[in-house]
Amino acid sequence: MLITGASRGIGRAIALALAADGYRPVLWARSGDDLAEVAAEVRAHGTPVRSAVVDIADPAAVAFAARTSLAGLDGLAGLVLNAGQGVWTALSELGTDEWDRTVRTNLDGGFQVLSAALPLLTAVPGALVVGMLSDSARYPFPQRAAYAAAKSGLGALLEVTRREVREQRVRVCQVVPSRVDTYFRGAHADAAPGSREGALSAEDVAAVVSGLFRLPPHVEIREIQMSSLSSTFGPFPERAQP
């Protein structure tokens, strides 16, 4: 089980949830200190874990992480493409560096990880690929040109992947959440969990993802759109009554 962006937020919550279900995770993330803490939490429950500090925007780093952290594995039961980044900037102010970084992490990185993991995924009938998208991929918002384009592209990449590996009994699901209370906050880069009232929690998303892995191996859910009842999905003001 390979999980990217596993050091904080949604990735960390997914790693802990899947480890609790008996999966032996391989954790990838850029932040070495945070990644080590998550790996220690997994080991504390008696579950073996592998990890690699890797920026998936760097093809050479992905190749090295695959050679080291995936060495000796006969297959992967799953892949969670969770790593992502983005900062909300008006198109008129969006620089080439910011565009490149956002696309390389969210889209190019997804391609690099998929390419490295596919031989191991196709070796396990019923293996599951979960791609973490965003409602920005379905309803592009102002100031999110790079992020919306990259996440939309990742969605297309995942659909192509699903069609190509279906005969080998590999399943693909796109999880499309709206607002989630994590460190990731495009408009507020210094925000921390606990400051986004009414949003989904990382654990909420992890519960859905771990539920996907509990399904019978012949069942494929292609897309899940999710939001808190206290929040919205896309531009629609559909909050429940308090």
Side-chain angles (χ1 to χ4, degrees):
M1 174 70 64
L2 173 59
I3 305 164
T4 67
S7 60
R8 299 197 303 182
I10 293 173
R12 174 184 176 276
I14 291 173
L16 295 176
L18 291 177
D21 282 350
Y23 287 98
R24 298 183 176 189
V26 181
L27 311 178
W28 286 8
R30 288 184 296 178
S31 175
D33 291 343
D34 291 336
L35 185 63
E37 290 183 9
V38 178
E41 286 187 69
V42 172
R43 290 192 187 97
H45 293 286
T47 302
V49 60
R50 302 182 183 204
S51 63
V53 178
V54 53
D55 181 352
I56 66 167
D58 181 351
V62 171
F64 179 78
R67 287 196 304 270
T68 54
S69 64
L70 302 181
L73 295 180
D74 296 326
L76 282 171
L79 166 64
V80 180
L81 289 170
N82 170 70
Q85 73 95 41
V87 177
W88 307 161
T89 305
L91 186 59
S92 60
E93 301 174 3
L94 182 63
T96 300
D97 288 346
E98 188 176 317
W99 172 274
D100 285 348
R101 179 67 194 177
T102 302
V103 173
R104 283 191 293 114
T105 299
N106 294 287
L107 179 54
D108 295 353
F111 163 72
Q112 298 295 338
V113 176
L114 270 170
S115 296
L118 272 181
L120 293 172
L121 291 163
T122 55
V124 180
L128 174 61
V129 177
V130 175
M132 299 303 306
L133 298 187
S134 163
D135 60 347
S136 295
R138 299 292 182 263
Y139 302 98
F141 293 89
Q143 300 185 330
R144 303 188 192 181
Y147 185 71
K151 285 296 189 182
S152 296
L154 178 61
L157 174 62
L158 288 166
E159 178 61 13
V160 170
T161 302
R162 187 188 67 77
R163 291 175 179 271
E164 291 189 358
V165 299
R166 192 171 180 78
E167 289 187 0
Q168 292 150 298
R169 303 189 68 78
V170 175
R171 302 169 293 161
V172 178
C173 180
Q174 300 180 36
V175 176
V176 189
S178 64
R179 300 164 68 247
V180 184
D181 186 29
T182 68
Y183 288 97
F184 182 87
R185 202 77 55 79
H188 305 283
D190 58 348
S195 59
R196 202 171 199 183
E197 186 177 354
L200 295 164
S201 69
E203 289 73 24
D204 292 333
V205 180
V208 170
V209 173
S210 61
L212 288 170
F213 281 93
R214 295 191 193 109
L215 293 172
H218 67 281
V219 176
E220 179 184 59
I221 295 179
R222 300 182 181 185
E223 180 174 310
I224 294 176
Q225 297 183 1
M226 59 182 297
S227 69
S228 165
L229 282 175
S230 302
S231 185
T232 62
F233 186 90
F236 306 112
E238 39 184 30
R239 292 180 177 87
Q241 294 296 318

